[in-house]
Amino acid sequence: MSEPLVRAVNVTKSFGHLEVLKGIDLQVRAGQVVTLLGPSGSGKTTFLRCINQLESIDGGRIFVDGVLMGYSQRGDRLHRLKDSEIAQQRRDIGMVFQRFNLFAHRTVLDNVCEAPVVVQRRPRREVEEEAHLLLERVGLATKAGAYPSELSGGQQQRVAIARALAMSPKLMLFDEPTSALDPELVGDVLAVMRDLAESGMTMVVVTHEMAFAREVADEVVFMDDGVVVESGPPGQVLVDPAHARTRDFLRRVTEEDGAGDAGPASGHSGPSTGGPP
């Protein structure tokens, strides 16, 4: 077996006296889609942010493609890397947030081109050619000259995905990418994510979209109170979960959806469920 692309070992994280992650172990292999499910405050968003070091960890290790994230190890001791070194590590990881975080004063094309031109110092003409292809891929080929305020929320989120892809990441992280969208706009964003999964992109997705988790994920991880309660294929975790905490969560999601007979794997477009910011 090859080395996993993402390997988390006994990861802990606290905010003050609040212990948010209590020893997370997780592996994601190249090409896998892993969805993180769990109630609000379970630590999902915090863990996602720890992967690319938007949050520093308090204990444990996180490796991406064999590289220890955020630290260098000398003997038994860890030493925090400089911000510039962490930023260098982060270049290979794309992240899409709940909110779109686009530059309001720049066009769609400029938003997508910004990082490759400024961070990677690539020629603008070359980057623009690739950006147009990415916009076509997310269904926004005609919107290159538009500004974010002229787009719907779903369109803005698809621009955010194209922007992340412009850096040619080896890993994509999604933090509740549809939670801020009106229900009728969710489908277009999920379709882009399905396309990415089919193309072999490695993805870790915090979501409440049960249909996406059931149909697209290779592995579903259920988190609660800062720990991984259980994980496995969607057909196992979503259909026949082993733990009462998982069964209770899925039942409540189904009830919130008003899905009735649809069962625990039905879709959901409810509020954000990430951990502390």
Side-chain angles (χ1 to χ4, degrees), residues 212-243:
F212 178 87
R214 182 188 67 227
E215 297 164 9
V216 181
D218 298 296
E219 182 173 2
V220 173
V221 177
F222 174 67
M223 293 177 60
D224 193 15
D225 194 28
V227 300
V228 172
V229 177
E230 67 177 298
S231 62
Q236 172 190 318
V237 176
L238 299 180
V239 177
D240 189 24
H243 292 266

Side-chain angles (χ1 to χ4, degrees), residues 104-223:
H105 63 291
R106 300 197 177 186
T107 65
V108 165
L109 184 64
D110 287 340
N111 269 277
V112 175
C113 292
E114 176 77 8
V117 170
V118 174
V119 177
Q120 296 179 332
R121 301 186 183 279
R122 294 175 55 201
R124 173 79 186 197
R125 181 177 297 179
E126 174 186 293
V127 171
E128 281 192 3
E129 290 178 0
E130 294 180 8
H132 281 293
L133 293 175
L134 286 172
L135 290 173
E136 182 176 358
R137 183 176 185 180
V138 300
L140 295 172
T142 64
K143 299 293 185 180
Y147 287 87
S149 62
E150 299 173 311
L151 305 179
S152 70
Q155 290 172 327
Q156 290 186 59
Q157 191 62 294
R158 283 184 279 154
V159 174
I161 294 173
R163 178 182 59 183
L165 292 174
M167 292 289 285
S168 301
K170 61 182 68 172
L171 170 68
M172 285 286 287
L173 309 176
F174 292 86
D175 181 18
E176 289 277 15
T178 61
S179 66
L181 303 180
D182 292 333
E184 65 269 21
L185 303 177
V186 169
D188 290 338
V189 173
L190 292 180
V192 171
M193 294 172 64
R194 284 187 175 93
D195 174 72
L196 287 178
E198 291 171 1
S199 73
M201 175 63 72
T202 309
M203 299 161 60
V204 182
V205 185
V206 173
T207 187
H208 251 179
E209 297 289 346
M210 294 298 162
F212 178 87
R214 182 188 67 227
E215 297 164 9
V216 181
D218 298 296
E219 182 173 2
V220 173
V221 177
F222 174 67
M223 293 177 60

Side-chain angles (χ1 to χ4, degrees), residues 11-30:
V11 173
T12 60
K13 174 66 179 178
S14 297
F15 294 97
H17 296 296
L18 178 62
E19 192 178 13
V20 179
L21 301 178
K22 303 175 182 178
I24 301 294
D25 293 310
L26 185 71
Q27 293 189 2
V28 183
R29 300 204 170 274

Side-chain angles (χ1 to χ4, degrees), residues 9 13 39 45 61 72 202 212 257:
V9 182
K13 174 66 179 178
T45 289
R61 307 282 192 279
S72 62
T202 309
F212 178 87
D257 285 346

